[in-house]
Amino acid sequence: MARIVSLAEGIAELVGDGDVVALEGFTHLIPFAAGHEIVRQGRRDLTLVRMTPDVIYDQLIGMGCASKLVFSWGGNPGVGSLHRFRDAVQNGWPTRLELEEHSHAGMANRYVAGASGLPFAVMRGYTGTDLPRHTPNIRTIGCPFTGELLTAVPALRPDVTVVHAQRADRAGNVQLWGITGVQKEAVLAARRSLVTVEEVVDRLEPVPGQVILPAWVVSAVAEVPGGSHPSYAQGYSVRDNDFYVGWDEISRDRDTFERWMRRHVLEGRERV
């Protein structure tokens, strides 16, 4: 059953050095505050997993938290490259970063397999791409019924998944709505999970299109208002587009990046 904890307690208890960590969210409900707490607690040698790593992963990589990235696309959405990600891959700064690249469909199916307790997922995909030549755990498999050649990818089972949501009740049941991406599947696939929420309430009022994560599939909940900034939480905040544009310049230079992270993250100030 989910426990209500502080953000610092949740990261300290659930995220360890060397863990496979997924911080999921698709343009919406991205768990920035949790990622910043991982930086503050100095986690190292993480395998970061995400379908669309953007600025929070750029920050984690640039601060030396990651040794490997498992992903399907990476960039500053609507702006361009992730410069700390690029620097790690091209120059090994601050540490060398191993890459495992998949398609969006491949990543989504891997989460589903993990959530379903299956060892791998089978799909039609990767045909015509060179990803199987560069990613060893993309394999072909013959259908035992029709003989059709398909693609198999191993299940994703993160040590810990971290997501942001709008609300939780005091029992630890979580409610999220809007663009929800693969948060549900990523939580169900994980061995441990932390959900940061805009608020903890006495009762969850139904919302159209909601996803409910029951308390028994969540390890811990932390109340963190604004915990998705500069992304947004539908019904609570709007996307800070200026931040994403500004990040392009901040992240280009190593010294400028480190000064910004020290001022706005290590010293605990979340907003620009």
Side-chain angles (χ1 to χ4, degrees), residues 18-230:
D19 278 351
V20 177
V21 181
L23 290 89
E24 279 294 349
F26 186 71
T27 193
H28 174 236
L29 298 176
I30 299 171
F32 270 86
H36 290 168
E37 186 60 31
I38 290 172
V39 171
R40 281 192 288 272
Q41 295 195 18
R43 294 294 180 269
R44 292 292 181 267
D45 196 31
L46 301 178
T47 294
L48 295 179
V49 179
R50 188 162 165 204
M51 284 185 63
T52 55
D54 62 359
V55 170
I56 188 57
Y57 274 41
D58 208 31
Q59 294 173 350
L60 287 160
I61 291 166
M63 293 301 287
C65 299
S67 59
K68 182 177 180 179
L69 178 66
V70 181
F71 73 114
S72 56
W73 175 90
N76 184 345
V79 180
S81 292
L82 296 173
H83 301 297
R84 296 301 93 221
F85 175 16
R86 180 183 291 273
D87 201 7
V89 173
Q90 294 180 336
N91 304 308
W93 190 93
T95 59
R96 188 180 70 87
L97 185 68
E98 180 185 351
L99 299 181
E100 181 182 325
E101 187 175 0
H102 290 269
S103 67
H104 283 347
M107 289 290 289
N109 277 278
R110 294 186 69 192
Y111 276 129
V112 170
S116 303
L118 297 172
F120 63 91
V122 178
M123 53 183 289
R124 291 187 180 94
Y126 297 96
T127 302
T129 78
D130 64 353
L131 282 173
R133 291 197 291 111
H134 298 283
T135 304
N137 61 6
I138 300 171
R139 308 286 179 85
T140 55
I141 186 171
C143 173
F145 303 104
T146 67
E148 181 183 2
L149 199 62
L150 301 168
T151 301
V153 286
L156 267 175
R157 291 295 310 277
D159 292 309
V160 57
T161 288
V162 182
V163 300
H164 189 70
Q166 284 94 339
R167 291 195 289 246
D169 64 19
R170 303 193 188 282
N173 300 298
V174 173
Q175 180 188 40
L176 62 157
W177 65 90
I179 300 174
T180 53
V182 293
Q183 284 98 313
K184 177 184 70 175
E185 292 79 5
V187 167
L188 293 175
R191 295 173 174 85
R192 305 182 297 277
S193 57
L194 172 65
V195 183
T196 59
V197 296
E198 292 292 322
E199 61 176 336
V200 175
V201 298
D202 293 328
R203 183 175 182 273
L204 298 177
E205 296 294 338
V207 174
Q210 68 182 11
V211 173
I212 298 292
L213 297 173
W216 60 84
V217 305
V218 176
S219 302
V221 171
E223 187 176 43
V224 187
S228 65
H229 179 267

